[in-house]
Amino acid sequence: MTELWQLSAAGLADQVRRGSVSARDVVRASLDRIERVDPALHAFVDHRGERALADADAIDGARARGEPLGPLAGVPIGWKDNLVVAGERTSAGSRMLADYRSPFTATALQRLQAAGAVLLGRTNMDEFGMGSSTETSAHGPTRNPWHRDCVPGGSSGGSAAAVAAGLCPLAVGSDTGGSVRQPAALCGVFGLKPTYGRVSRYGLIAYASSLDCVGVLGRSVDDLALWLAATAGVDPADPTSVAAAPTTGAAAPAADLRGVRIGVPWQLNGPGLDDEVLATVQTALATLRELGAELVECSLPSVAHAVPTYYLLAMAEAASNLARYDGVRYGARRGEGTSCDAMTTASRSRGFGDEVQLRILLGTFALSVGYQDRYYGQAIRARELLRSDFARAFAACDLLVSPTSPVPAFPLGSRIDDPLAMYLCDALTVPASLAGLPALSQPCGYTAAGLPIGLQWTAPAFGEDRLLQVAGAFAAATDHHSRRPPA
Ligand code: GLN
C-alpha cells in the first residue's frame, strides 16, 4: 500500500482538497517519518511539531467551512535554515546566529503558506551556504540517504536528503553556485534554480547577493512546477525581483522532444568528469535523441574561467554581506567588557567556522585597495564573457544539457580539508549561476555502487517552463526518478 509520505505534493494537495485525507494526517505522517528516519540522517535541524499540526488543523477547518483550498493544501514543506520565519529560529548553519529569531517571514515561505503549504521544519545546510557537502554546518553533517557514509551534497544538503528519504515531498533550498542542483543530483531528486530575480530573496540570509536564488527540491517535475507557480513574481520588498510573465505552473510535459534543439557544450560534458557520470550522461543523451531531440554540439569557451570567477565574486560579496555580524548589530556577542576591537574579533572568530573565515579573508583581500581591479574587476569582466557565450549558444539551441556534478556523492570527510577539491564540485553548476539563468537537475542513472547521478538542464532567462517540459519528457520516458533509497 502506498503510504502518505510516499505521495507527491500534487497528490497530497489533491487528496486534502477532496477530503479523502486530512491535512493533520499528512503532517502527522511526515513528523512520524522524521522521528523514525531522521536520527540516522540529520536532514532537519529541528521541526515545528505541534505548530505544524496546528497549521494543518487550520486548513482542515477551512475545508470544513467550505472555503477554497490552495494548490499546495496541507503539503508539508521543509525549508533551508537560511530562510527566516517570524518569531522562529534561523541560524544559516552558523554558531553566529544560534539564537537569532527573525521579526518577519521570507516572501517565498509566506507565498507557500498562502498556497496552503504547511511549514514543517528547518533543514540543515553548510554554514551561510558555503560548501558543497553540508559538512560545514555548525549543527553537524547530514548523511546521504543512499549511502550513509557519503555526503548529501550541499549547501542545501538537508533539503535534498529530506526529500530523498520521504520526510517531506518538497523542500525549499537556495542556490548561489549550485546549492540546489548539486545536492539534488547527489541525492537522486529534482532540483530547480529559477532565473535570478524570479523568486523573491526577501528573508533569505544573504551569501552573495548578485548570485543568490531561492530554489526547490522535489521528487517530481509537477511538484517543482507547483512550487514555482506559488512563489514566483515580483515582490516590492526585493528590488531585484522581476515581474516576468507568470509561469503557467504545471506545464504539461512534452510528449516527445521532436523539434527541440538541445545544445551539448563540450566543456561541460567531458573534461574532468568521473567515468560513471560521463557514461550515464552519454546514455541519457541517446535517450533524448530517441525522443526526437536534435543534439547540437556547442561551445562555452569562458567556462574555463567559471570556477575562479565564481569564487572571487562569491567571496567578495560574502565578505561584504557578513560584515554585519559583529556581535553588536547582529550575531552572538563574545568578549563583552573588553575593547570594541577585541569584542568584534572575539565575536567573529568564535561565531564563524573555518570555511566562512577563510572566505571572508580572501574576499576582503580581493576587494582591498590596489587589488580591486586586478581581481574583482577581472571577475566581473569574465562574467560578462560567459554571459555572451550563453547568448551565442542559445541562438542555435533551445536548452543546454550536461551532468550536474562531476562526481557522485563522496565519502564524508574525504574533501573537507581540501578546499580546491570541494570547489571543483561546482564546476558544472556555477556557469548558469554567473549568467543568472534558470537550471534544473534531474536523476538520470546510478553508479555501480547505487549512488544517483544527475542531469542538468540550462535555459535562457525566464525559460523555466521549457526546463520543466523537457525534464518532464525525459522523466516520462525513464524511471530513474522513481527509485528510492533504502528505507
Ligand atoms: N558550493 C558553492 C559554494 O560553496 C555553492 C554554494 C551555494 O550555492 N550556496 O559557494
Side-chain angles (χ1 to χ4, degrees):
M1 200 189 84
T2 313
E3 296 187 51
L4 285 177
W5 62 264
Q6 295 170 310
L7 293 180
S8 67
L12 288 171
D14 191 48
Q15 290 210 28
V16 169
R17 271 194 308 268
R18 282 191 285 118
S20 50
V21 69
S22 68
R24 169 171 272 267
D25 284 347
V26 172
V27 171
R28 185 74 263 166
S30 267
L31 291 171
D32 287 348
R33 180 98 184 134
I34 291 175
E35 247 156 64
R36 224 176 30 231
V37 177
D38 205 37
L41 297 177
H42 193 223
F44 279 90
V45 173
D46 58 18
H47 63 70
R48 296 175 68 236
E50 289 303 318
R51 274 167 297 158
L53 289 169
D55 290 350
D57 289 343
I59 290 166
D60 291 330
R63 185 178 183 281
R65 291 190 300 275
E67 294 168 18
L69 299 187
L72 289 168
V75 174
I77 288 194
W79 76 94
K80 190 173 177 174
D81 185 25
N82 60 355
L83 285 144
V84 300
V85 177
E88 303 194 13
R89 283 183 202 283
T90 303
S91 78
S94 182
R95 283 191 300 275
M96 183 60 97
L97 290 174
D99 298 318
Y100 178 68
R101 284 178 196 271
S102 167
F104 66 97
T105 300
T107 300
L109 299 182
Q110 214 168 35
R111 290 185 178 175
L112 289 169
Q113 286 182 302
V118 175
L119 297 183
L120 189 64
R122 296 186 286 165
T123 57
N124 200 14
M125 60 180 284
D126 282 298
E127 185 175 7
F128 286 103
M130 299 178 192
S132 307
S133 66
T134 315
E135 292 169 289
T136 71
S137 169
H139 304 285
T142 295
R143 291 170 182 271
N144 190 310
W146 293 89
H147 196 307
R148 291 181 185 168
D149 292 334
C150 287
V151 302
S155 62
S156 315
S159 289
V163 168
L167 310 183
C168 50
L170 282 173
V172 185
S174 68
D175 190 311
T176 303
S179 279
V180 162
R181 293 161 284 159
Q182 186 257 13
L186 270 48
C187 288
V189 297
F190 295 83
L192 172 68
K193 176 199 104 71
T195 309
Y196 180 78
R198 184 123 210 203
V199 175
S200 169
R201 291 184 292 119
Y202 185 63
L204 170 69
I205 293 186
Y207 162 12
S209 307
S210 79
L211 297 152
D212 291 342
C213 293
V214 177
V216 71
L217 298 104
R219 295 191 298 264
S220 81
V221 172
D222 282 355
D223 285 0
L224 264 47
L226 272 179
W227 177 88
L228 184 66
T231 56
V234 73
D235 172 14
D238 174 3
T240 62
S241 68
V242 182
T247 169
T248 54
D256 62 43
L257 295 175
R258 261 176 299 177
V260 180
R261 296 165 308 164
I262 298 174
V264 188
W266 67 262
Q267 292 91 346
L268 301 179
N269 282 277
L273 297 186
D274 168 273
D275 290 344
E276 285 180 286
V277 169
L278 185 59
T280 305
V281 169
Q282 291 297 325
T283 309
L285 296 189
T287 306
L288 296 170
R289 221 178 267 119
E290 282 161 28
L291 288 169
E294 184 193 340
L295 298 192
V296 187
E297 278 287 328
C298 68
S299 176
L300 301 170
S302 308
V303 152
H305 309 297
V307 170
T309 302
Y310 168 80
Y311 275 97
L312 259 165
L313 294 174
M315 289 180 188
E317 292 183 29
S320 158
N321 272 327
L322 273 55
R324 72 189 67 163
Y325 304 107
D326 54 7
V328 178
R329 288 168 300 171
Y330 282 103
R333 185 176 305 171
R334 306 241 166 49
E336 199 139 16
T338 58
S339 71
C340 187
D341 270 2
M343 189 183 80
T344 307
T345 306
S347 300
R348 287 171 71 80
S349 44
R350 286 191 242 149
F352 291 136
D354 291 348
E355 181 65 25
V356 172
Q357 293 193 35
L358 172 73
R359 294 189 187 202
I360 291 174
L361 289 173
L362 289 171
T364 305
F365 176 73
L367 289 175
S368 56
V369 177
Y371 290 101
Q372 212 173 43
D373 191 59
R374 199 148 118 206
Y375 295 115
Y376 190 75
Q378 195 71 344
I380 294 281
R381 288 186 283 277
R383 183 178 197 170
E384 282 313 311
L385 289 178
L386 188 62
R387 278 191 214 269
S388 22
D389 282 2
F390 273 109
R392 222 171 299 118
F394 285 128
C397 55
D398 304 307
L399 298 119
L400 302 179
V401 75
S402 72
T404 308
S405 163
V407 290
F410 42 93
L412 275 154
S414 64
R415 286 179 185 235
I416 192 69
D417 295 323
D418 184 349
L420 278 187
M422 193 68 95
Y423 299 169
L424 286 172
C425 293
D426 310 321
L428 310 178
T429 48
V430 294
S433 301
L434 286 165
L437 302 174
L440 183 152
S441 178
Q442 76 181 127
C444 72
Y446 295 82
T447 66
L451 292 168
I453 293 171
L455 186 71
Q456 176 180 235
W457 297 100
T458 306
F462 305 106
E464 282 87 352
D465 285 349
R466 196 21 106 64
L467 284 180
L468 294 166
Q469 278 169 351
V470 171
F474 180 79
T478 57
D479 64 356
H480 311 296
H481 60 288
S482 27
R483 231 154 107 174
R484 296 271 68 92

